[in-house]
Amino acid sequence: FCLFPAVAMPTVSRVAVCGGTHGNELAGIYLVREMLKKRADGTEPVSVVTVMSNPRAAQLCVRYVETDLNRCFTRAALRPLPRTSPYEMIRSQELNALLGAQRSVDLLCDLHNTTANTGLCLITYSDRDWICLHICKHLQREMASTPVRYVHFDIPLNEAYSLDSVGKHGFAMEIGPQPHGVVRSVIFSAMQEGVQLMMDWICQFNSGTLFEGGWVDVYTMVKNIDYPRDSETHMISAAVHPDLQDRDFCLLHPGDPMFLCFSGETLRYRGKEALYPFFINEGAYYEKGVALSLARKRRVQIPSVL
Amino acid sequence: FCLFPAVAMPTVSRVAVCGGTHGNELAGIYLVREMLKKRADGTEPVSVVTVMSNPRAAQLCVRYVETDLNRCFTRAALRPLPRTSPYEMIRSQELNALLGAQRSVDLLCDLHNTTANTGLCLITYSDRDWICLHICKHLQREMASTPVRYVHFDIPLNEAYSLDSVGKHGFAMEIGPQPHGVVRSVIFSAMQEGVQLMMDWICQFNSGTLFEGGWVDVYTMVKNIDYPRDSETHMISAAVHPDLQDRDFCLLHPGDPMFLCFSGETLRYRGKEALYPFFINEGAYYEKGVALSLARKRRVQIPSVL
């Protein structure tokens, strides 16, 4: 066990808040529209750029027009493209030019909603990004109504595929449950509060406040599980079991019910290790063959920062 | 007050169960697929035709491809059409030829889901269809887990626009809450149980059972209420208030909170009459300019039938 010394880190001067990366995740879309109404008066201590990531999809209230924008930020996808490429492939390059590339923002917060009962998650590619971890700790301390969790996708940064990966620091702020194409007031308010608390933390941090270190629970994604499917038609043959539905981040033990077949049969979790399910029955993942994801939880020690 | 004599009614010999009239309402789609797997063995006491109403939309998991199929069954829409008409306009004619027109089924049950917390509703165009009302009463008696309600759209039958209107008797069986593009096990099971109880009632009725009369609460739709909108952009500027969200069929009084603006202001119900809200924050109705519908409730006396 070791106590880290306080780490001095550069200020977070340029922040991007993005919504509508998926055009039917409405809390982020309406929040960005609200933020765009309030013109900057030039006296803010932090420069915030507010972006509607996929305006065409938002206009149509669909996740995407041609391909999932939030899979278009890999190094490979950001190479020069023919003009005839899908809309989202071109849009990801525009967004990378605006927010990433040479003029990378210090922090990119990308707003998302899920049909799963996740509460608020900060989803990142790093389990040692002290800025993201401290913001998470701040939200956990300050948000009374919503559970806040830190999710880590353990992927090399050059394979990172999502918009938040183009900032120097970045995360998806994912809040659920909310149906796609619907805005629920409590979800909108939680997102608004989450963004405000993030900005408060950044302003305090930039003005020299020391934030004490401590521990944060990190959920590292281990694997995805698909729906059971008919061997001939490949159509799904079961729904998430009622005992598992809406139990995101509740430990799933070997033998626990996982699916209830349309024919009535219960299928159980056959893994050897108890793990934490999340994104349980997320609507947009049917087409990706993901009924839920499973994570391992561990406590990560973070240093004091200033 | 009068006690009706028992009414002798013709048997219900031909039944249609339709799903996927909206291609992203998944409980009905998976239930119809299950029913289609079980081939009729020719010994059933009732002839049931099972129909995937909008297979193209179901394939794409969207509400519709070109236009809302469930608005294409008015008398006007069923007139001869050019071949270049939208897919759903042509499909409504195929369905009418199959289920309505000269060879009308005795009862058409069309399966729907909503993001609103409606429980199970039978939605009809009549408040004196004894078959529909008795089926409703049967479901109310037998379904333990789900509230069952009878909703009446007070529209002349020749203006009826939905698929269920082409049967001699018919209703939409609407169950929520469920996000579109998602199947939740408890919603699927409730729908399966609702259809099974309907079939049980029909079989008993056809075999000469007398069903006692009594009273059924009927919710007659009075009006729709749109979301508050920005006067310039016409974009919605408020979400359904947290105190109203998910309170379908709970009496709304004048002065009760109705919307919470994204700017923080509460807007209240300004009607003069307490009414019953339903379809509160239904995802598919954003494009129709409907945040919720309001109904008047009254008790309807129904005769014994045999």
Side-chain angles (χ1 to χ4, degrees):
Chain A
F1 182 88
C2 83
L3 265 175
F4 299 144
V7 176
M9 298 192 71
T11 56
V12 177
S13 313
R14 290 186 67 227
V15 175
V17 177
C18 304
T21 302
H22 295 134
N24 58 2
E25 300 182 6
L26 296 194
I29 289 172
Y30 285 111
L31 184 54
V32 158
R33 284 185 183 147
E34 280 302 298
M35 292 172 73
L36 286 169
K37 276 190 209 165
K38 294 175 191 142
R39 291 272 182 81
D41 63 2
T43 64
E44 289 81 6
V46 180
S47 150
V48 180
V49 52
T50 310
V51 180
M52 184 68 73
S53 310
N54 193 336
R56 281 200 202 167
Q59 177 68 32
L60 297 168
C61 197
V62 294
R63 183 173 174 89
Y64 54 80
V65 180
E66 296 189 78
T67 190
D68 189 337
L69 175 60
N70 215 31
R71 301 295 179 273
C72 293
F73 294 91
T74 57
R75 198 170 285 182
L78 292 173
R79 284 192 202 119
L81 283 177
R83 273 168 178 260
T84 55
S85 302
Y87 169 67
E88 279 87 358
M89 296 286 284
I90 291 166
R91 183 66 182 148
S92 73
Q93 306 226 337
E94 293 171 2
L95 290 166
N96 185 51
L98 180 70
L99 306 172
Q102 309 310 317
R103 314 184 288 121
S104 191
V105 295
D106 295 315
L107 177 67
L108 196 156
C109 169
D110 192 29
L111 304 173
H112 287 265
N113 292 118
T114 169
T115 62
N117 184 25
T118 54
L120 189 157
C121 298
L122 302 188
I123 305 179
T124 73
Y125 294 104
S126 170
D127 57 355
R128 69 195 82 180
D129 183 316
W130 309 143
I131 296 292
C132 294
L133 283 157
H134 265 280
I135 289 172
C136 183
K137 203 157 170 280
H138 185 66
L139 266 59
Q140 288 175 333
R141 215 164 25 221
E142 299 294 332
M143 289 189 83
S145 56
T146 310
V148 176
R149 298 183 183 91
Y150 192 96
V151 173
H152 168 221
F153 281 12
D154 191 11
I155 293 173
L157 203 58
N158 63 5
E159 291 171 30
Y161 48 75
S162 56
L163 173 55
D164 51 271
S165 69
V166 311
K168 291 192 187 98
H169 308 273
F171 49 78
M173 183 183 286
E174 180 83 68
I175 312 192
Q178 182 177 268
H180 300 313
V182 165
V183 58
R184 288 174 66 93
S185 194
V186 291
I187 299 292
F188 176 86
S189 297
M191 187 174 272
Q192 195 171 38
E193 187 185 0
V195 170
Q196 188 54 57
L197 287 168
M198 172 188 82
M199 292 309 304
D200 293 348
W201 187 89
I202 292 167
C203 289
Q204 288 179 52
F205 171 75
N206 285 350
S207 64
T209 306
L210 179 136
F211 285 91
E212 293 285 347
W215 299 85
V216 175
D217 283 335
V218 170
Y219 294 87
T220 300
M221 210 274 261
V222 174
K223 61 177 166 183
N224 295 320
I225 294 192
D226 193 7
Y227 294 91
R229 291 178 187 271
D230 184 282
S231 54
E232 282 175 35
T233 64
H234 205 61
M235 280 181 185
I236 81 168
S237 57
V240 166
H241 196 281
D243 291 354
L244 178 58
Q245 178 71 52
D246 301 331
R247 302 278 163 81
D248 297 71
F249 298 106
C250 298
L251 194 57
L252 182 74
H253 293 92
D256 284 350
M258 190 170 240
F259 297 103
L260 183 57
C261 295
F262 299 133
S263 61
E265 189 192 354
T266 291
L267 303 178
R268 293 171 182 280
Y269 171 48
R270 306 183 75 152
K272 288 179 182 161
E273 180 187 0
L275 291 169
Y276 291 87
F278 67 107
F279 280 140
I280 298 172
N281 206 6
E282 156 55 34
Y285 292 173
Y286 280 63
E287 67 177 29
K288 298 185 198 289
V290 176
L292 62 144
S293 300
L294 291 170
R296 202 169 284 131
K297 181 170 83 168
R298 68 185 203 291
R299 308 206 78 188
V300 169
Q301 192 176 19
I302 64 173
S304 302
V305 294
L306 83 173
Chain B
F1 182 86
C2 85
L3 266 175
F4 300 144
V7 176
M9 299 192 71
T11 56
V12 178
S13 313
R14 290 186 66 226
V15 175
V17 176
C18 304
T21 301
H22 295 134
N24 58 1
E25 299 181 8
L26 296 193
I29 289 172
Y30 285 111
L31 184 53
V32 158
R33 285 184 183 148
E34 280 303 296
M35 292 173 73
L36 287 169
K37 275 190 209 165
K38 294 174 192 146
R39 290 273 182 81
D41 64 4
T43 64
E44 289 80 6
V46 180
S47 150
V48 180
V49 53
T50 310
V51 179
M52 184 67 74
S53 310
N54 193 336
R56 281 200 203 167
Q59 177 69 32
L60 297 168
C61 197
V62 294
R63 183 174 174 88
Y64 54 80
V65 179
E66 295 188 81
T67 190
D68 189 336
L69 175 60
N70 214 32
R71 301 295 179 272
C72 293
F73 293 91
T74 58
R75 199 169 285 182
L78 293 173
R79 284 192 202 120
L81 282 178
R83 273 169 179 261
T84 54
S85 301
Y87 168 68
E88 279 87 359
M89 297 286 283
I90 292 166
R91 183 66 182 148
S92 73
Q93 306 227 337
E94 293 171 2
L95 290 167
N96 186 52
L98 180 71
L99 306 171
Q102 310 311 318
R103 315 184 287 123
S104 190
V105 295
D106 295 314
L107 177 66
L108 197 157
C109 169
D110 192 29
L111 304 172
H112 287 266
N113 292 116
T114 168
T115 62
N117 185 24
T118 55
L120 190 155
C121 297
L122 302 188
I123 305 179
T124 73
Y125 294 103
S126 170
D127 57 354
R128 69 196 82 179
D129 184 316
W130 310 142
I131 297 292
C132 294
L133 283 156
H134 266 281
I135 289 172
C136 183
K137 203 157 170 283
H138 185 65
L139 267 58
Q140 288 175 334
R141 215 166 24 224
E142 300 294 331
M143 288 189 83
S145 56
T146 310
V148 176
R149 298 184 183 91
Y150 192 95
V151 173
H152 168 220
F153 281 11
D154 191 10
I155 294 173
L157 203 58
N158 63 5
E159 290 171 31
Y161 47 76
S162 55
L163 173 55
D164 51 271
S165 69
V166 311
K168 290 192 188 97
H169 308 272
F171 49 79
M173 183 183 286
E174 180 82 68
I175 312 191
Q178 181 175 267
H180 299 314
V182 165
V183 57
R184 289 175 67 93
S185 194
V186 291
I187 299 291
F188 177 86
S189 298
M191 186 174 272
Q192 194 170 39
E193 187 186 1
V195 170
Q196 187 55 55
L197 287 168
M198 172 188 81
M199 292 309 303
D200 293 348
W201 186 90
I202 292 167
C203 290
Q204 289 178 50
F205 171 76
N206 285 350
S207 64
T209 307
L210 178 135
F211 285 91
E212 293 284 348
W215 299 86
V216 175
D217 284 334
V218 170
Y219 294 87
T220 300
M221 209 274 260
V222 175
K223 62 176 167 184
N224 296 320
I225 294 192
D226 193 8
Y227 294 91
R229 290 176 188 273
D230 184 282
S231 54
E232 282 175 34
T233 64
H234 206 60
M235 281 181 183
I236 82 169
S237 57
V240 166
H241 196 281
D243 291 353
L244 178 58
Q245 178 71 52
D246 301 331
R247 302 278 163 81
D248 297 70
F249 298 105
C250 299
L251 195 58
L252 183 74
H253 293 92
D256 283 350
M258 191 170 238
F259 296 104
L260 183 57
C261 296
F262 299 133
S263 60
E265 190 192 352
T266 291
L267 303 178
R268 292 171 183 280
Y269 171 48
R270 305 183 75 154
K272 286 177 183 164
E273 180 188 1
L275 291 169
Y276 292 86
F278 67 107
F279 280 140
I280 298 171
N281 206 7
E282 156 55 33
Y285 292 173
Y286 279 63
E287 67 178 28
K288 298 186 199 290
V290 176
L292 62 144
S293 300
L294 291 171
R296 203 171 282 130
K297 180 169 85 170
R298 68 185 203 291
R299 309 206 78 188
V300 169
Q301 193 177 18
I302 64 173
S304 302
V305 294
L306 82 173

